[in-house]
Amino acid sequence: MNKNGRGINLVISLLLVAMMLFWFSSTLRRMESTCTQAEFDRIMDSGEVSGVLIEQNREVPTGSAHINLKDGGDRLLNVTDVNVLIEQLEAAGVEYILEDVPAENVFLTSILPALILVGGLFLIFMMMNAQNAQAGGGGKMMNFGKSRARMSVGGDNKITLKDVAGLKEEKEDLQEIVDFLRDPAKFTRVGARIPKGVLLEGPPGTGKTLLAKAIAGEANVPFFSISGSDFVEMFVGVGASRVRDLFEEAKKNAPCIVFIDEIDAVARRRGTGMGGGHDEREQTLNQMLVEMDGFGVNEGIIVMAATNRVDILDPAILRPGRFDRKISVGAPDVGGREDILKVHAKNKPLAEDVDLKQVAQTTAGFTGADLENLLNEAAIVAAKQDRAFVCQQDIQKAFIKVGIGSEKKSRVISDKEKRITAYHEAGHAILFHVLPDVGPVYTVSIIPTGLGAAGYTMPLPERDEMFMTRGQMMQEIMVSLGGRIAEEIIFDDITTGASSDIKKATQLAKKMVTRFGMSENIGVICYDDDDEEVFIGRDLAHAKGHSELVSGEIDREIKRIIDGCYAKAKETILQHESVLHKSAQLLLEKERINRTEFEALFV
Ligand code: ADP
Ligand code: MG
Ligand code: ZN
């Protein structure tokens, strides 16, 4: 995109320079030979003129005269009245020819040269672009369409399904694909139809790429992979020919897997972009569909693709005979997290005290990639201390680093700031503990984090939940407001420290009203359909789905929820005011307290 932009700028500026030069030289030429009426009179008087060619404009008496001199030179004169000039010439006895001004051929004189110029520049630009796209490859200039797919065959692709932890159902779903690739004849013999395309869908880092590789490794077949984002920067026509090459290569190596990563980059819904369609992308996508339709069901090629935005895909690719199998790969649950941690802990010596189960419990929402990163950070912490094994504390430190940004003990904070933070976090913590559907508290800390938070209170989720209840959401809002409330109770004043808490509470309340149908006055209607701005183009064309009246009502409902939660939360904290003081005190002493230390305060 960027590269193309720069290329076009280059072409435009070159064009402008060329045009200016052209214009400048032609005026120069004219200036050289043009003479004034006075000058002309002088030449006439001295008898230097040998002949004149008058070009007369059609409807008016003006025109121009080409004056030939006896010494071989010539002059150009702009004539205001041709008849006057003719009289003058006849009086002096100079020969002249009178012609109409030739109709100027605009096409020949200006459009054609411009076209040639643009065409030439375009060619140069295209070659440069193709060369760029080739950079890293052989760099052969005309080698536009060579597939950049990476292939790995049996031996060097050692990843198998064993390396993919968790994802039990996903692996079961894919088992028949493995069986098919291992022995296609077994299936074709009985006329079974195997899906041609499998679409893996899920958030980044959940192991989609890993899963595709593992299938190839497990079946011991070649694995061709290409990323959709590779196509985006390509020049017109290149993407499509790459796709053609890729499939040609795959057919030669069947049975095999063709893996298209980040397919959303090419297979976005057509005709929804801003500022005109993206021809290149559409051509690439069309070619992909043509290729997929082109080979038979049991030719032994399985096309796998991955995306984290299945909602923006062109529906055409989901049609039968294309990606007709969709597998959702979600963030892992507690058990899955533990398994993934075990896989990545394999090559890291762990101390006795490491409890991966407990780590799994505190990392709800972490993807496989996050967990891998967590253990890697822990190993780095251990290595920094010259230890040959990773202990639980290393993991905790790594957790804070990857989860919240690294602790910065060195930053100087005033005692007053510290006191405010201690009460603020204590306020959150008390509500986490007291309210039935949230918490319990895992850590409370007033050590500032790298991301600008003065402290944090982390809950320990005991189970993974599919959905939240209304009560739970209200309690989440109350917890978010707890920090600010504690500040208000103790200091009679409030700080700016609670802004992200307030934002979180407001967003949740808004969702309750506009998305989950949880407020009585608004009812069970979804007023929230901004799908994260993917279809800016399409949304601009749409009017907002509800009136100003409803907007006002939504705002009032949000305020009602927040106000209600605020009052209840304040009441709850006031009931435990002694704990508030005690936990703030303990926090100031130790800077960080754990669950047991915190719960001991409630007696
Ligand atoms: P995605 O393609 O879904 O964005 P990747 O497959 O690239 O995610 O995963 C990135 C890394 O995270 C993998 O290389 C692997 O180390 C780790 N990972 C992710 N999911 C798992 C899993 N289920 N089991 C083991 N490791 C995983
Ligand atoms: Mg990936
Ligand atoms: Zn807070």
Side-chain angles (χ1 to χ4, degrees):
M1 200 61 219
N2 226 338
K3 202 160 60 191
N4 280 1
R6 249 183 286 136
I8 284 163
N9 278 348
L10 184 78
V11 170
I12 288 174
S13 46
L14 277 177
L15 256 177
L16 280 179
V17 169
M19 274 160 69
M20 270 169 66
L21 280 177
F22 185 76
W23 173 81
F24 195 59
S25 69
S26 66
T27 22
L28 257 188
R29 224 178 36 227
R30 210 164 282 166
M31 263 159 52
E32 266 172 1
S33 56
T34 308
C35 64
T36 60
Q37 185 66 43
E39 226 180 308
F40 174 71
D41 291 343
R42 192 183 54 73
I43 308 171
M44 281 291 286
D45 288 345
S46 57
E48 287 170 48
V49 179
S50 63
V52 176
L53 170 69
I54 303 169
E55 285 179 342
Q56 185 183 17
N57 290 324
R58 247 160 253 249
E59 314 295 348
V60 283
T62 60
S64 54
H66 299 266
I67 300 140
N68 293 323
L69 302 181
K70 284 182 178 149
D71 62 4
D74 59 60
R75 291 283 188 282
L76 188 74
L77 174 71
N78 288 322
V79 187
T80 41
D81 192 333
V82 174
N83 296 326
V84 174
L85 178 66
I86 289 173
E87 267 170 35
Q88 192 181 1
L89 290 172
E90 276 175 351
V94 177
E95 280 181 31
Y96 69 91
I97 304 168
L98 185 63
E99 276 182 0
D100 277 342
V101 171
E104 219 180 311
N105 193 331
V106 183
F107 181 75
L108 274 181
T109 53
S110 50
I111 294 183
L112 189 65
L115 275 181
I116 290 172
L117 203 68
V118 172
L121 286 170
F122 207 56
L123 249 168
I124 292 170
F125 166 51
M126 189 167 121
M127 281 174 166
M128 274 166 28
N129 199 58
Q131 218 172 12
N132 277 348
Q134 279 289 315
K140 267 178 278 160
M141 224 168 157
M142 289 312 195
N143 201 0
F144 290 154
K146 262 269 153 275
S147 159
R148 249 210 307 197
R150 288 174 299 264
M151 185 177 102
S152 55
V153 195
D156 52 312
N157 181 14
K158 290 196 199 74
I159 296 169
T160 63
L161 285 178
K162 269 204 310 296
D163 300 298
V164 185
L167 304 181
K168 230 177 175 176
E169 286 147 41
E170 291 85 346
K171 285 201 276 191
E172 267 163 30
D173 280 352
L174 290 166
Q175 188 58 46
E176 64 179 54
I177 306 248
V178 175
D179 294 342
F180 168 75
L181 287 169
R182 273 199 191 131
D183 186 6
K186 192 169 96 183
F187 287 81
T188 47
R189 212 166 39 212
V190 292
R193 194 172 65 86
I194 284 295
K196 241 188 222 177
V198 179
L199 183 67
L200 301 172
E201 179 254 325
T206 45
K208 299 180 294 293
T209 310
L210 188 72
L211 201 54
K213 276 189 192 149
I215 299 287
E218 190 75 23
N220 204 20
V221 297
F223 180 74
F224 296 90
S225 80
I226 193 158
S227 171
S229 56
D230 291 351
F231 291 120
V232 175
E233 289 229 326
M234 285 178 197
F235 200 70
V236 181
V238 177
S241 84
R242 286 247 163 104
V243 170
R244 212 174 306 125
D245 282 0
L246 177 64
F247 277 87
E248 222 162 78
E249 201 69 13
K251 272 177 206 160
K252 278 186 228 151
N253 287 284
C256 67
I257 285 182
V258 171
F259 179 59
I260 302 161
D261 212 347
E262 299 175 47
I263 196 174
D264 41 298
V266 272
R268 234 159 240 251
R269 209 172 290 217
R270 280 170 284 196
T272 50
M274 283 261 266
H278 192 313
D279 267 357
E280 170 57 5
R281 223 190 53 216
E282 283 187 17
Q283 276 188 26
T284 307
L285 173 58
N286 287 341
Q287 188 62 38
M288 218 156 70
L289 298 179
V290 166
E291 293 291 344
M292 285 192 75
D293 292 344
F295 62 80
V297 181
N298 288 325
E299 263 183 57
I301 302 174
I302 303 280
V303 186
M304 294 182 81
T307 180
N308 41 43
R309 293 305 308 269
V310 78
D311 53 324
I312 62 168
L313 290 183
D314 195 305
I317 77 159
L318 300 172
R319 250 177 244 152
R322 292 170 179 171
F323 292 98
D324 39 14
R325 184 73 63 91
K326 199 170 82 183
I327 294 180
S328 291
V329 184
D333 60 5
V334 183
R337 289 202 296 273
E338 197 180 337
D339 291 343
I340 293 171
L341 285 167
K342 277 182 192 153
V343 165
H344 291 287
K346 243 184 235 156
N347 57 358
K348 295 180 181 70
L350 299 182
E352 299 254 295
D353 70 332
V354 173
D355 184 356
L356 291 181
K357 192 178 186 120
Q358 197 260 339
V359 176
Q361 278 181 332
T362 54
T363 46
F366 273 45
T367 64
D370 294 334
L371 293 169
E372 196 266 340
N373 186 27
L374 176 72
L375 284 186
N376 188 49
E377 288 290 342
I380 289 172
V381 172
K384 269 187 186 161
Q385 297 174 9
D386 268 335
R387 252 185 291 108
F389 51 88
V390 177
C391 60
Q392 183 82 358
Q393 219 196 348
D394 299 335
I395 299 179
Q396 254 157 22
K397 280 196 179 140
F399 182 46
I400 286 156
K401 188 166 175 197
V402 302
I404 305 155
S406 58
E407 288 181 65
K408 281 200 186 134
K409 296 200 186 196
S410 55
R411 208 193 116 204
V412 192
I413 24 171
S414 71
D415 281 351
K416 179 160 188 227
E417 262 182 302
K418 247 186 183 169
R419 249 170 70 78
I420 294 173
T421 310
Y423 275 101
H424 179 105
E425 297 304 331
H428 285 311
I430 287 173
L431 291 169
F432 260 135
H433 181 81
V434 174
L435 298 174
D437 298 327
V438 289
V441 172
Y442 174 62
T443 321
V444 191
S445 159
I446 55 165
I447 300 166
T449 70
L451 298 180
Y456 57 88
T457 304
M458 222 174 327
L460 174 69
E462 290 194 313
R463 56 205 169 266
D464 287 287
E465 275 131 2
M466 289 285 288
F467 45 74
M468 283 170 101
T469 63
R470 181 171 188 271
Q472 223 172 339
M473 293 179 87
M474 301 283 271
Q475 290 173 27
E476 290 277 355
I477 294 174
M478 286 165 69
V479 169
S480 294
L481 298 172
R484 155 66 74 97
I485 293 170
E487 285 180 35
E488 191 197 296
I489 294 173
I490 304 299
F491 299 100
D492 250 347
D493 193 5
I494 44 183
T495 68
T496 56
S499 64
S500 69
D501 291 338
I502 293 171
K503 186 171 170 195
K504 198 172 146 200
T506 313
Q507 279 171 346
L508 200 53
K510 184 172 178 198
K511 271 193 208 163
M512 288 174 70
V513 176
T514 61
R515 191 181 285 190
F516 302 130
M518 286 178 177
S519 91
E520 282 133 43
N521 288 352
I522 294 292
V524 193
I525 297 171
C526 174
Y527 284 112
D528 175 30
D529 49 12
D530 49 7
D531 269 335
E532 280 124 58
E533 291 163 34
V534 183
F535 299 128
I536 302 172
R538 205 171 59 174
D539 276 354
L540 280 181
H542 275 221
K544 230 192 166 76
H546 50 83
S547 65
E548 291 300 320
L549 210 71
V550 174
S551 288
E553 191 59 41
I554 287 173
D555 291 341
R556 268 193 297 282
E557 280 297 291
I558 293 172
K559 187 169 173 346
R560 223 168 53 94
I561 291 176
I562 300 273
D563 287 352
C565 287
Y566 197 94
K568 251 200 222 153
K570 190 164 178 177
E571 200 186 302
T572 313
I573 293 180
L574 282 173
Q575 277 166 11
H576 296 87
E577 208 178 335
S578 64
V579 182
L580 183 66
H581 287 293
K582 277 192 276 179
S583 45
Q585 212 49 50
L586 193 62
L587 271 171
L588 286 169
E589 245 170 69
K590 305 188 65 171
E591 289 203 331
R592 183 163 59 199
I593 55 179
N594 62 28
R595 179 177 178 177
T596 355
E597 288 167 316
F598 177 68
E599 286 178 358
L601 300 171
F602 286 86
V603 276

